[in-house]
């Protein structure tokens, strides 16, 4: 897996946490690949790319909410579900009912 860039914008913090982020991202990706049915993913897209985008967006979203002090869990859940729906539409294959099985 290519290097995963953590969403952190502070260079000092990023350099400290980058090795741990790399390790956790790699282990999680390996676990996902071992259990994921790739038949639900379009063949023209590598799952690693999807995973990196999801991880980066999730991390950025969490970091933004934390730094702004906005801890509205209900709003966060709704925004995250919208993001997941977007990924299913973009990266999923088949009919809408097929995506709901993911």
């Amino acid at each position: 897996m290519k290097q995963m860039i953590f969403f952190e914008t502070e260079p000092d913090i990023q350099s400290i946490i980058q090795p741990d982020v790399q390790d956790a991202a790699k282990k999680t990706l390996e676990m996902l690949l071992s259990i994921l049915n790739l038949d639900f993913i379009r063949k023209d897209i590598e799952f690693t790319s999807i995973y990196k985008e999801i991880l980066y967006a999730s991390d950025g979203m969490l970091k933004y909410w934390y730094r702004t002090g906005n801890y509205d869990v209900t709003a966060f859940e709704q925004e995250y579900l919208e993001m997941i729906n977007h990924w299913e539409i973009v990266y999923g294959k088949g009919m809408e009912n097929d995506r709901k099985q993911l």
Side-chain angles (χ1 to χ4, degrees), residues 7-50:
F7 190 81
E8 179 57 58
T9 56
E10 296 293 327
D12 292 340
I13 296 172
Q14 187 179 49
S15 66
I16 292 168
I17 62 174
Q18 191 64 34
D20 290 336
V21 170
Q22 289 295 317
D23 187 49
K26 182 179 178 201
K27 287 177 181 172
T28 304
L29 176 62
E30 289 169 356
M31 185 266 312
L32 285 171
L33 288 172
S34 73
I35 62 172
L36 184 67
N37 181 350
L38 293 176
D39 291 336
F40 288 109
I41 309 279
R42 290 182 11 212
K43 299 296 181 211
D44 61 325
I45 300 175
E46 182 184 351
F47 179 74
T48 302
S49 298
I50 298 169

Side-chain angles (χ1 to χ4, degrees), residues 50-92:
I50 298 169
Y51 172 74
K52 286 171 64 174
E53 180 180 327
I54 291 170
L55 188 61
Y56 189 78
S58 299
D59 179 55
M61 188 178 205
L62 288 169
K63 177 114 6 153
Y64 171 78
W65 283 59
Y66 173 77
R67 288 191 173 158
T68 60
N70 185 348
Y71 293 102
D72 184 341
V73 176
T74 303
F76 175 79
E77 180 180 33
Q78 182 59 41
E79 285 186 31
Y80 202 79
L81 289 172
E82 289 172 15
M83 196 165 41
I84 289 170
N85 185 53
H86 168 76
W87 290 324
E88 288 177 345
I89 291 168
V90 172
Y91 295 126

